[in-house]
Amino acid sequence: MTADIVIDFTRSEGAVLRLIGQVERRGFEVTSMTMAEHGAGPARLTLGVAPRDASRSFDTLSRHVAKIHGVTSVRAAERAPFMERAS
Amino acid sequence: MAALAAPIAQARTAPFTGAHAVVRALEAQGVEYVFGYPGGAIMPVYDALTGSSLKHVLVRHEQGAALAADGYARVSGKPGVCIATSGPGATNLVTGIANAFLDSVPMIAITGQTPTPLMGTDAFQEIDTFGITLPIVKHSFVVRDPADIPSVFAEAFALATAGRPGPVLIDLPKDVTQASLAVPPGIDQTGPAPRRKFEQPGAGAIANAIALIEQAKKPLLYVGGGVGIAAAEQALRAFHARTGIPAVATLKGLGAIPTGSENYLDMLGMHGGQAANLAVQESDLLIACGARFDDRATGKLDTFAPNARIIHFDADPSEISKLRDADVSLIGEMTAILDALRPARLDIQDWRDHCAAMKTRYAPRYDAPGSGVFAPALLKALSEQAGDDFIATCDVGQHQMWVAQHCRFSRPQAHLTSGGLGTMGYGIPAGIGALFAEPDATVVTITGDGSIMMNIQELATIKRYRLPLKIVLLDNAQLGMVRQWQELFFEENFSEIDLYDNPDFAELARAFGIEAFTVDRRSEVPDAIDRLLSARGPILAHVRIDPRENVWPLVPPGAANSQMMEA
């Protein structure tokens, strides 16, 4: 099970480290990452994340990320399971 | 207590620098005390301190500064400020910052840093303080422009105290604090930031919580440290009194409801009382107030309160359903929430009676055999005799649990303990901070022979400022809690717990200029308590106890709270 966590935040020194660190420390692996800049201050970081064990919840992770100073919004969307078509 | 040295008037016509802006910003926030230790990269700030109204407390190790700031904050309710230089000064603060983070203590940690052109070059005493502390701060700043200092400090204080409090680090490169600065307009008006308002839970959530309370037959209040942090103890006591719902407390929740109150059971958890733990297991509704379902409180989580629905109040939304799903969550100002909870009918007299009977049945006994000092009895008597002004600052180990189990606490600020991090060496610096916050309190540090050696150097700070700290050193010549676990869970394979070669602690205290005496026998305890409580200056009671004494009851690691071990 993986999810995309889309984080809008204000750029500041160490902000990206802080976000990624929070995700890792709360028991998730970062599997992918893209970041886009929107104007002078705000930025968007999209992290693909996978829990390191079954007890980890994306909702709880989102709340942990949301309370980081400078974060303006967090959205988590679980990815649909990958389906391989039978040949 | 000795008065701190009066500020030395600035005769120099030095330029206004970034360091002056730092000092001015602290003054603007209403800071009175700063706990710290000078060194190379922070020297400009120490230079500016001499012309300020700030009172600097010179500790003997930076860890002492951070832990003293922590103790000051817990008692005063204001952010504690600690300061250190770069490199080892900063890394020595780290344990204290982590301690504040895990126990949600408002703190401003100020560190010097190598000049910005040298940052990233492995310069002398350069370490990435910002990076090292990222996981243990609520937020952090590296100030790169001295003009930002007023706004950074205002924001740091606001963040440290808002919502769930915590530490904020401000790293100050030396060139920033040395830079001349035209006084920014309004710098003196950058006063304390207003506390951020919570959004309150909606009427629907309140109604749902009331409905659950009215339906419950066995409701239980589960009180955590968040109550004291939110200064919501009066609202909690009122709720407790008007509903008569039995209550248990976590280690950090002790004192929110006075420990002798009707319908108050005990601490829950690993070393909690049997009545408290059994009540949790039997309850059908757990009302968690500022508690976070910590593993030391819950034991094996999936067996914790197995029949209970959960109402969870907290200032921090990320705590809701983190470990245990809440049926109703109430996020916001705890006092307002508690005041709004007014169930119309409760049918719980049988449950109250059952809890009261368990409390009587499982009450601790103090009639230990022998003539040696029985630490639980000593601590109970000491706290009762000290009265409502009593503040205990604990170290970590068996004595910490005995304090929690047996001392009387009438307010949350009366029990300073390193609950989250479990920092040996916390007790004495926290006692220093507590005395600066509340000089008339009866502050007693309860420590062990392992813990006291972690920050023994702070005896010099106590002496310097003539702080009337009372230290009770429970000496079993061992690392007692580790020994207990090795005895119970490692087949008595005692490994590296023997402290037979401890120094003579009374002599050591006297070498620091502190009055000290030794207690060996139970019959000496009443006089020892009298002597401690009547001392006008610092005093240490070195109390020798039986090394075989264990802390009971005990929930074994990984077990349910219903599976308590007893002596």
Side-chain angles (χ1 to χ4, degrees):
Chain A
M1 184 175 54
T2 58
D4 287 320
I5 306 279
V6 182
I7 307 164
D8 290 332
F9 65 102
T10 304
R11 284 189 298 132
S12 63
E13 185 159 356
V16 174
L17 277 177
R18 209 183 296 276
L19 295 171
I20 295 170
Q22 181 77 302
V23 170
E24 287 277 359
R25 280 192 299 280
R26 294 295 173 178
F28 291 81
E29 179 190 2
V30 176
T31 57
S32 64
M33 185 180 344
T34 56
M35 184 172 155
E37 190 177 329
H38 297 261
R44 172 168 293 175
L45 179 66
T46 303
L47 300 175
V49 299
R52 293 192 186 278
D53 63 66
S55 69
R56 311 288 167 167
S57 132
F58 293 119
D59 281 348
T60 301
L61 175 64
S62 296
R63 284 196 289 265
H64 278 298
V65 173
K67 71 180 184 180
I68 292 174
H69 183 56
V71 171
T72 52
S73 76
V74 182
R75 294 182 300 283
E78 279 190 47
R79 289 182 189 166
F82 180 74
M83 303 289 284
E84 195 166 356
R85 193 174 69 177
S87 55
Chain B
M1 188 191 305
L4 298 183
I8 299 167
Q10 276 282 55
R12 291 178 292 168
T13 54
F16 190 89
T17 64
H20 292 106
V22 168
V23 166
R24 199 75 75 81
L26 291 171
E27 290 173 330
Q29 294 297 327
V31 173
E32 187 177 5
Y33 293 105
V34 176
F35 302 88
Y37 200 100
I42 200 69
M43 283 179 67
V45 174
Y46 273 82
D47 187 52
L49 268 178
T50 59
S52 79
S53 65
L54 301 171
K55 297 166 185 164
H56 182 271
V57 178
L58 178 64
V59 296
R60 297 303 175 97
H61 188 289
E62 291 88 350
Q63 187 183 114
L67 296 176
D70 173 306
Y72 176 84
R74 293 193 204 210
V75 174
S76 70
K78 297 184 283 191
V81 180
C82 56
I83 185 164
T85 192
S86 63
T91 56
N92 282 343
L93 287 183
V94 165
T95 297
I97 297 171
N99 196 74
F101 183 72
L102 285 182
D103 279 354
S104 307
V105 177
M107 176 186 286
I108 305 295
I110 300 167
T111 48
Q113 185 54 274
T114 51
T116 48
L118 291 179
M119 286 171 68
T121 67
D122 305 321
F124 176 65
Q125 291 194 330
E126 186 201 354
I127 198 75
D128 178 11
T129 308
F130 183 89
I132 286 172
T133 56
L134 268 178
I136 55 167
V137 294
K138 207 170 161 189
H139 196 65
S140 43
F141 301 88
V142 180
V143 182
R144 294 182 182 271
D145 181 342
D148 293 339
I149 287 171
S151 61
V152 164
F153 273 74
E155 192 170 7
F157 275 81
L159 285 168
T161 53
R164 180 178 183 168
V168 176
L169 176 107
I170 304 173
D171 202 29
L172 295 168
K174 192 171 184 179
D175 56 323
V176 170
T177 52
Q178 283 179 315
S180 295
L181 185 70
V183 182
I187 187 170
D188 292 320
Q189 283 73 52
T190 312
R195 288 189 77 133
R196 292 182 185 179
K197 300 275 186 203
F198 286 108
E199 284 184 22
Q200 290 301 326
I206 296 284
N208 289 340
I210 291 172
L212 284 187
I213 293 169
E214 289 179 341
Q215 290 162 18
K217 299 294 181 199
K218 299 178 177 179
L220 194 67
L221 275 167
Y222 159 35
V223 178
V227 174
I229 290 168
E233 59 268 27
Q234 296 307 330
L236 176 72
R237 290 172 190 186
F239 176 79
H240 184 233
R242 70 174 173 264
T243 61
I245 295 175
V248 300
T250 66
L251 180 68
K252 284 195 65 219
L254 291 172
I257 294 174
T259 46
S261 301
E262 187 180 8
N263 293 317
Y264 173 77
L265 292 172
D266 210 338
M267 182 171 75
L268 83 164
M270 178 173 275
H271 288 293
Q274 298 213 36
N277 280 334
L278 292 174
V280 171
Q281 296 307 95
E282 293 178 28
S283 68
D284 64 359
L285 176 68
L286 211 51
I287 307 169
C289 304
R292 59 187 177 93
F293 294 84
D294 171 74
D295 58 286
R296 279 290 189 273
T298 64
K300 190 179 181 191
L301 186 61
D302 58 12
T303 64
F304 179 70
N307 307 312
R309 302 174 87 175
I310 305 292
I311 299 172
H312 195 168
F313 314 161
D314 211 287
D316 182 352
S318 68
E319 287 300 336
I320 304 296
S321 300
K322 182 178 83 175
L323 292 164
R324 174 75 180 258
D325 285 340
D327 295 280
V328 175
S329 60
L330 299 169
I331 302 162
E333 189 77 49
M334 199 170 296
T335 294
I337 293 170
L338 286 162
D339 285 346
L341 284 181
R342 294 181 179 272
R345 56 190 175 280
L346 285 168
D347 179 19
I348 60 169
Q349 191 55 48
D350 288 349
W351 170 239
R352 286 188 200 115
D353 293 343
H354 176 63
C355 288
M358 286 200 293
K359 183 177 178 180
T360 302
R361 179 177 175 194
Y362 295 114
R365 296 181 59 171
Y366 297 97
D367 54 348
S371 59
V373 176
F374 185 51
L378 181 154
L379 294 169
K380 178 175 186 286
L382 173 65
S383 64
E384 288 174 350
Q385 201 167 323
D388 288 343
D389 292 333
F390 175 63
I391 294 176
T393 75
C394 300
D395 264 307
V396 171
Q398 288 179 309
H399 62 275
Q400 180 189 27
M401 293 299 110
W402 284 325
V403 167
Q405 291 173 327
H406 303 289
C407 283
R408 170 187 175 277
F409 297 112
S410 57
R411 53 184 178 142
Q413 299 78 16
H415 181 228
L416 273 57
T417 197
S418 176
L421 193 62
T423 307
M424 292 173 73
Y426 176 73
I428 288 178
I432 292 170
L435 274 166
F436 279 107
E438 204 171 300
D440 295 329
T442 303
V443 181
V444 183
T445 292
I446 295 101
T447 183
D449 53 308
S451 284
I452 195 171
M453 295 295 275
M454 293 277 183
N455 272 318
I456 190 86
Q457 77 287 342
E458 299 310 331
L459 292 179
T461 309
I462 294 165
K463 174 63 178 173
R464 166 184 284 251
Y465 297 102
R466 292 183 227 157
L467 298 170
L469 185 66
K470 304 164 193 313
I471 302 170
V472 176
L473 166 55
L474 298 172
D475 177 6
N476 57 9
Q478 295 189 339
L479 294 172
M481 189 60 96
V482 181
R483 183 203 53 72
Q484 177 171 342
W485 277 53
Q486 289 175 346
E487 175 191 329
L488 298 174
F489 309 121
F490 291 86
E491 300 175 340
E492 299 188 356
N493 182 27
F494 296 115
S495 176
E496 298 299 328
I497 44 86
D498 192 349
L499 302 180
Y500 70 93
D501 51 357
N502 274 326
D504 180 329
F505 287 110
E507 279 300 318
L508 187 57
R510 286 191 279 267
F512 279 98
I514 291 174
E515 179 185 352
F517 62 100
T518 297
V519 180
D520 282 307
R521 304 184 67 77
R522 193 174 306 176
S523 58
E524 299 168 334
V525 167
D527 286 347
I529 292 174
D530 288 343
R531 184 170 173 185
L532 277 167
L533 295 180
S534 61
R536 296 175 64 88
I539 185 167
L540 181 144
H542 172 219
V543 183
R544 292 196 183 97
I545 61 171
D546 188 337
R548 296 164 299 181
E549 197 64 64
N550 282 338
V551 181
W552 303 113
L554 164 66
V555 177
N561 278 355
S562 56
Q563 297 171 291
M564 286 165 281
M565 298 169 67
E566 260 294 1

